[in-house]
Amino acid sequence: GAVVSQHPSRVICKSGTSVKIECRSLDFQATTMFWYRQFPKQSLMLMATSNEGSKATYEQGVEKDKFLINHASLTLSTLTVTSAHPEDSSFYICSASGRGKETQYFGPGTRLLVL
Amino acid sequence: KQEVTQIPAALSVPEGENLVLNCSFTDSAIYNLQWFRQDPGKGLTSLLLIQSSQREQTSGRLNASLDKSSGRSTLYIAASQPGDSATYLCAVQWGGSYIPTFGRGTSLIVHP
């Protein structure tokens, strides 16, 4: 099956710093990548959808200037949390969908803790 | 509105029991359905993916069934073990949409 990786798996940072999370499709070309956020004991909530080479589409209520998404290639998307604050602490999960396919393959997630 | 519901929200069973987790969805025109496992503080692990044209998928002690007409999927775990303790999430993708809808999960504890 298709494999999606995320790096780092866990990150701790100070308030005010920026953190970049990478999402890679290892064995297929991902036309579309998705970023989700999961609060404790909650289900996943879609933050944004990105297509390779174009700007991301953000869900309502998600600040695009705070959560910068770049999908520069068919195998890599990055999420940068800018000027992170403690309330940004959460579990961030990406998924990827290949050309002509609609099934999403999920990465293992990145746990962010902002002190 | 397309919704995914998982019942029960929590389940505690003794080791060795066979158990069934339930997932129901409101619109039968699905594209696929996935079952995931999530350990505390960890990411998602895909367990089984059932395409719309399939009735079930099996992997080891796990069997997932799909009944689109009734809007239901079940995840059957045979001979449960303490290592099966985790939260199990069901996610449905409907035709024409790239965005799966997740249930809130069933938290499973298998005690020795």
Side-chain angles (χ1 to χ4, degrees):
Chain A
V3 179
V4 176
S5 69
Q6 281 185 241
H7 178 80
S9 59
R10 179 185 295 258
V11 57
I12 301 173
C13 69
K14 293 182 179 180
S15 183
T17 61
S18 294
V19 175
K20 179 183 286 188
I21 302 170
E22 292 185 349
C23 176
R24 293 182 184 273
S25 57
L26 299 184
D27 53 0
F28 69 103
Q29 293 185 323
T31 306
T32 308
M33 286 187 168
F34 308 83
W35 287 95
Y36 296 82
R37 182 172 180 176
Q38 185 182 34
F39 293 99
K41 299 186 178 180
Q42 299 288 323
S43 191
L44 278 69
M45 293 183 59
L46 180 67
M47 297 174 65
T49 303
S50 72
N51 291 298
E52 184 261 338
S54 60
K55 291 183 178 180
T57 301
Y58 290 81
E59 295 299 298
Q60 190 172 9
V62 178
E63 299 176 60
K64 63 180 181 181
D65 293 331
K66 180 162 188 65
F67 299 100
L68 301 179
I69 292 172
N70 183 283
H71 190 168
S73 77
L74 286 172
T75 60
L76 173 65
S77 176
T78 60
L79 168 67
T80 301
V81 183
T82 63
S83 186
H85 288 98
E87 57 265 32
D88 298 325
S89 298
S90 191
F91 202 63
Y92 294 88
I93 301 174
C94 76
S95 69
S97 179
R99 285 188 190 280
K101 300 178 182 178
E102 295 184 17
T103 299
Q104 288 188 29
Y105 298 95
F106 285 79
T110 296
R111 180 161 298 283
L112 170 64
L113 177 62
V114 184
L115 303 177
Chain B
K1 183 180 178 182
Q2 294 167 328
E3 296 181 341
V4 177
T5 304
Q6 291 187 247
I7 296 174
L11 184 63
S12 179
V13 300
E15 181 178 8
E17 269 202 14
N18 301 324
L19 56 98
V20 175
L21 306 182
N22 297 294
C23 174
S24 62
F25 44 93
T26 53
D27 184 343
S28 62
I30 71 170
Y31 181 74
N32 65 41
L33 183 148
Q34 286 198 65
W35 282 94
F36 296 88
R37 169 184 174 143
Q38 186 173 33
D39 293 281
K42 303 292 185 182
L44 298 180
T45 301
S46 180
L47 298 174
L48 291 164
L49 168 65
I50 310 177
Q51 299 291 350
S52 174
S53 59
Q54 298 173 324
R55 297 276 302 189
E56 66 176 350
Q57 285 284 336
T58 298
S59 176
R61 293 182 294 108
L62 305 179
N63 176 276
S65 67
L66 174 64
D67 184 345
K68 290 189 298 181
S69 62
S70 66
R72 291 177 181 272
S73 175
T74 60
L75 178 66
Y76 175 82
I77 303 177
S80 58
Q81 303 170 357
D84 294 330
S85 299
T87 296
Y88 291 81
L89 293 165
C90 168
V92 176
Q93 269 183 263
W94 276 278
S97 171
Y98 283 94
I99 312 304
T101 299
F102 281 81
R104 295 180 67 112
T106 293
S107 177
L108 172 66
I109 296 176
V110 181
H111 48 87

